[in-house]
Structures are given as structure tokens and as C-alpha cells.
Amino acid sequence: MERLLCLVIGYIFGLFQTGFILGKLYHVDIREYGSGNSGTTNAMRVLGKKAGVITYLGDAFKALFAGLFVRLIFGDSDILFVLLLYTGLGAILGHNYPFYMNFKGGKGIAASSGAIAALGDWKLLLLALVTFVGVALISKYVSLASLCVLTGFFLELILFLVWGIMPNIGGSSPIEACIIAFVWMIFAYIRHKDNIKRLIAGNERKIGQKIEV
């Protein structure tokens, strides 16, 4: 029951679509341009860098706030880490598939970063930041950097458990924690399937390319 409640809480918070709202202020539905989603990268390409930054912050903080809210409710739980992962999954689903937008939202990367921050472990957040910046600078592909962050997050949880760096991962349910992280990663790949095809074909848009509206 706790897990389901956290999933619902995350989904409700995830429904706040920063990029879509900003687009409406510009009298543009950003889902009709560029990649067709309402996330950070498309907002930046369609509306500009400032809008992109605002979109990222809004989408990241909604997941972070969802996690903080769950901490207020279940702060003493021995599976708090797992509950926060469920909350993050809910926020990702709410962002990716908002019911009031015909389930057409973003790709969940900004929300994922906020959910990672909500876990409260600086090592995971730092590794996510270093991975994204490093891959983005080298490859110039935001999509590739995004996928590497979620793949890295899943592998890091497994390695940290094996190496005993974070023995408290998941409390009494460490395997469950890794499974949820795997689900995070799978949703990232699902939402980036077109990007993956373009990366393979060599025609994925690079950082700095702007969409004319």
C-alpha cells in the first residue's frame, strides 16, 4: 500500500508540465515542433535557452518536492529508499504520460534527476551530473547523455551494493530498489527510441541546433 501511494504521489507531482505551460505563454504548443515532446531539450530548441533552463528546473524540482513530501510521510520507514524510488517512478510517469495531455508529455530525464536528488545521497547525484556533462561535452548529444545517466544510475546501485559502499540501499529490500532503478532506465529508453534510431543513423540533432517556429 505504501508503494502504491508513493507511486500515485509521484504521478500527481509529475503532472506539472513546465515546458508545455511555458509554450502556452509564447502561444506555442511545443509538442507540435521539434521532437514533439514537452521536455527540457525540446523547450530549449523551440523556445530558447532561458525557457530550456526554466523547464529543466521546474521538471526537476517537481520530482524533488514529491520526494520531500514522501519523506514527511514515511521518514521513519526502513524502506524509505525504495519508497523514494517508487515516488520517482511516479513522477517520471506523470511527466511522460500526463492524462490531461492525452498521455503525451516529456521524456523524464529532468524528472529523473530531481528524483535522484530526492534520494539524499550526494554520490548518486554527483555521478549523474558528471556522467551527463561528460557525455554531453564529448558527444554533443543530449539524448545519449540522458540515457547514460539512467543506465549509470542502475549500474551504480548494483555496484554500490556489491562493494558495500551503500549497504543501506533499499533497507530490507535492496533487490527491489535495483529493479525499480532498472524500470527507470527502461522508460528512458522507451521514450528515447526515436533518438536511438537517429543516433545509430548518425542524424541525431546535436547541442545548439534550434528549431524554427
Side-chain angles (χ1 to χ4, degrees):
M1 189 63 182
E2 292 177 342
R3 292 165 172 80
L4 179 59
L5 179 58
C6 289
L7 197 63
V8 171
I9 290 173
Y11 185 83
I12 292 172
F13 273 83
L15 291 175
F16 183 82
Q17 297 289 320
T18 313
F20 178 75
I21 294 171
L22 279 177
K24 287 302 182 181
L25 294 178
Y26 284 88
H27 307 292
V28 170
D29 185 342
I30 66 171
R31 297 175 302 164
E32 296 178 356
Y33 301 92
S35 63
N37 75 85
S38 60
T40 299
T41 304
N42 205 41
M44 184 173 294
R45 286 172 178 154
V46 175
L47 303 175
K49 292 181 180 180
K50 182 178 179 180
V53 171
I54 294 173
T55 298
Y56 170 77
L57 291 175
D59 290 343
F61 273 105
K62 68 186 179 186
L64 174 60
F65 291 152
L68 294 176
F69 185 68
V70 165
R71 282 182 178 275
L72 289 176
I73 302 174
F74 301 112
D76 295 328
S77 174
D78 64 341
I79 58 166
L80 178 60
F81 194 91
V82 168
L83 296 180
L84 289 172
L85 285 171
Y86 274 107
T87 306
L89 177 58
I92 292 168
L93 291 174
H95 178 75
N96 292 359
Y97 308 104
F99 70 90
Y100 66 95
M101 292 169 59
N102 296 320
F103 302 98
K104 187 180 179 182
K107 296 184 178 179
I109 302 305
S112 296
S113 68
I116 291 174
L119 294 172
D121 188 281
W122 66 269
K123 295 185 294 296
L124 293 173
L125 186 59
L126 179 61
L127 284 169
L129 178 61
V130 170
T131 299
F132 183 86
V133 173
V135 175
L137 287 176
I138 294 171
S139 70
K140 305 300 181 183
Y141 293 121
V142 171
S143 56
L144 180 61
S146 300
L147 292 171
C148 286
V149 168
L150 271 298
T151 303
F153 175 68
F154 167 60
L155 296 176
E156 287 152 18
L157 288 191
I158 294 177
L159 292 176
F160 284 0
L161 274 173
V162 172
W163 294 338
I165 296 176
M166 289 178 64
N168 63 327
I169 288 177
S172 59
S173 304
I175 303 302
E176 184 179 6
C178 293
I179 291 174
I180 306 167
F182 178 75
V183 175
W184 281 25
M185 182 185 73
I186 291 301
F187 273 109
Y189 277 83
I190 290 173
R191 293 297 287 159
H192 284 80
K193 62 181 184 299
D194 292 333
N195 302 86
I196 294 171
K197 292 177 182 177
R198 289 193 295 268
L199 284 168
I200 294 173
N203 55 14
E204 172 73 329
R205 297 187 189 92
K206 292 190 175 184
I207 295 173
Q209 287 185 255
K210 192 174 184 295
I211 302 297
E212 297 298 329
V213 298

